[in-house]
Amino acid sequence: MKRKFWLAALSACMLAAAAFGFAACDDGDGTEQSDTEQGGTEQGDSQQGGGQQGGTEQGDSQQGGGQQGGTELVGTPGLAYELNDDGDAYTVTGLGAATETDIVIPSTYNGLPVTGIGYHAFTDCSGLTSVTIGSGVTYIGDYAFWNCDGLTSIIIPDSVTSIGSSAFEYCDGLTSITIPDSVTSIESFAFWNCDGLTEIYYTGDIASWCRISGLGSLMSLGRTLYIDNEVLTGELVIPDSVTSIGDSAFRDCSGLTSVVIPNSVTSIGGGAFYGCSGLTSVTIGNGVTSIGDSAFRDCSGLTSVVIPNSVTSIGGGAFQYCSGLTSVTIPDSVTSIGGYAFEYCSGLTSITIPNSVTSIGNCAFEGCSGIIQTENGVRYVDKWAIGCDATVTSITLRNNTAGIADHAFYGCSGLTSFTIPNSVTSIGSSAFSLCTGLTSITIPDSVTSIGGYAFRDCSGL
């Protein structure tokens, strides 16, 4: 069910002329603002006075004009506006008295620039079919076109720098969108649940794309990404000018086969390459210090990954479901491995965790059915961190391991013996539950606490 937002400050869209049959939104303050109420005076013969240029009114409508591509852009009559606090610009706040299905938002109104499309301005206006935005508009507000499911076309000018949260959510009629390179921020859920949206066109280059924040809701569901009119496939070489790769920047770009990340990049954003199933090769530069959550999740074509010595943290789910991985190198620089980081990397047969690692998150290696942990400098392992099964016959903890956490070796039925080093002081709840192959275990004097069900169903003991 689609979410509905009922705000005291925003009246519901009302039916306008029956001939058009779509909801008309008010101006956002609970009253519908007519085009004769701007500044308390009527302007012009038709109440739609023109914007002023050089001290004279242009046109016969108050809605005014503005330039786009060298041609005067005349706004749709009746749209509602609100003067900004500084009194130097207007924001479009809704349909007002407009009855058109194809609307034009002008660059100027009453002689002042129109700089934004307001919060919830056209929410639920399902009759809208197209929107043209005049140059000068710099932002599209949160929920601006939320649930405008009849919208099939929108032209975003290159003056726009930000697109707000859920701005186009549930705009099912959109099949493609062009994002100008002026846009630097796309907030969460901006294009969420736009089920018809299959193609995204970006007018800038790879470097500019990498710097856009909040790409999560734009790059999802296997949409095809065009950078400067070329579909993104094959080898991707990130240029040296890039210092960070934004969240979900290349999510679901299934045509990518290889990625080279330069030394200039210091961080790989969350979900940056999530779902790039065709990716078989990744080169991570020596400048990267963090790999974000789900950065390479579902990259099932990856067979090996070398993490450089500059990396200190591997985010949660970073390589989750990378079922083709057979080799991973974790350097001594890494201090933390997030939960689910390598969950269900079923092709891994061995992995070395260096002494530098001090924490491993929940289920970090769950479902890695062939894994044998040959080295472990973990001071405290969160529950289900190892996630082994009957194929694992040997696990060695290093002598500086301080504790064995809840469920740490739950279900490791292939273990026949286990050595607990003298550094361990606690054994967590269900730590060895269902380790049915264990026939003996020695608990050192250093252990001061053993959690509930620690050896539950260890039938071989």
Side-chain angles (χ1 to χ4, degrees), residues 41-410:
T41 60
E42 291 189 2
Q43 306 220 2
D45 294 336
S46 67
Q47 302 178 3
Q48 296 292 326
Q52 292 201 2
Q53 296 181 356
T56 62
E57 288 190 354
Q58 300 289 324
D60 57 359
S61 73
Q62 195 185 71
Q63 197 69 25
Q67 299 277 329
Q68 189 175 64
T71 304
E72 185 175 353
L73 190 64
V74 178
T76 300
L79 292 178
Y81 298 85
E82 182 178 279
L83 190 64
N84 293 354
D85 291 341
D86 294 337
D88 58 359
Y90 281 98
T91 298
V92 176
T93 58
L95 281 173
T99 57
E100 302 290 338
T101 58
D102 303 313
I103 67 169
V104 175
I105 297 170
S107 300
T108 62
Y109 177 76
N110 273 358
L112 294 175
V114 176
T115 58
I117 301 172
Y119 175 72
H120 274 283
F122 299 98
T123 290
D124 278 328
C125 293
S126 59
L128 286 180
T129 57
S130 73
V131 176
T132 301
I133 303 172
S135 60
V137 172
T138 61
Y139 69 91
I140 300 172
D142 296 349
Y143 305 100
F145 295 96
W146 188 86
N147 201 32
C148 292
D149 53 12
L151 189 63
T152 59
S153 172
I154 185 161
I155 298 175
I156 301 174
D158 57 11
S159 57
V160 173
T161 60
S162 66
I163 299 174
S165 177
S166 298
F168 295 94
E169 186 174 6
Y170 292 117
C171 290
D172 296 337
L174 286 176
T175 58
S176 68
I177 189 80
T178 298
I179 305 296
D181 58 7
S182 58
V183 173
T184 58
S185 176
I186 299 173
E187 298 300 324
S188 58
F189 307 110
F191 294 89
W192 202 250
N193 290 307
C194 292
D195 294 340
L197 187 60
T198 58
E199 296 179 319
I200 298 163
Y201 293 84
Y202 179 64
T203 63
D205 56 18
I206 289 290
S208 298
W209 180 260
C210 286
R211 289 190 283 266
I212 295 178
S213 61
L215 288 169
S217 61
L218 186 60
M219 287 308 302
S220 60
L221 303 177
R223 293 160 180 162
T224 302
L225 173 62
Y226 295 83
I227 302 290
D228 197 18
N229 288 323
E230 291 188 9
V231 65
L232 189 64
T233 58
E235 181 178 340
L236 171 64
V237 178
I238 307 292
D240 291 338
S241 58
V242 175
T243 57
S244 64
I245 300 174
D247 293 348
S248 298
F250 302 98
R251 178 170 176 168
D252 288 312
C253 291
S254 56
L256 284 180
T257 57
S258 69
V259 172
V260 177
I261 300 171
N263 295 338
S264 59
V265 172
T266 59
S267 63
I268 301 173
F273 298 94
Y274 187 149
C276 293
S277 55
L279 200 58
T280 58
S281 171
V282 171
T283 301
I284 301 175
N286 291 324
V288 174
T289 60
S290 63
I291 299 174
D293 295 348
S294 299
F296 295 94
R297 178 176 172 176
D298 282 331
C299 292
S300 54
L302 279 180
T303 57
S304 66
V305 172
V306 176
I307 299 172
N309 289 323
S310 54
V311 173
T312 59
S313 64
I314 299 172
F319 296 92
Q320 189 177 24
Y321 297 110
C322 290
S323 55
L325 272 182
T326 57
S327 173
V328 174
T329 301
I330 301 176
D332 291 338
S333 56
V334 173
T335 60
S336 66
I337 299 173
Y340 310 97
F342 295 93
E343 186 186 33
Y344 295 114
C345 292
S346 53
L348 284 177
T349 55
S350 67
I351 193 166
T352 299
I353 300 176
N355 294 336
S356 57
V357 175
T358 58
S359 66
I360 297 178
N362 292 356
C363 308
F365 298 98
E366 185 178 22
C368 298
S369 57
I371 202 167
I372 299 175
Q373 198 161 2
T374 58
E375 191 174 12
N376 191 341
V378 179
R379 273 67 174 178
Y380 193 80
V381 182
D382 288 344
K383 64 180 180 179
W384 300 309
I386 304 303
C388 55
D389 65 12
T391 63
V392 178
T393 58
S394 174
I395 294 176
T396 302
L397 296 183
R398 292 185 64 84
N399 289 330
N400 57 358
T401 303
I404 298 173
D406 298 349
H407 299 83
F409 303 104
Y410 184 99

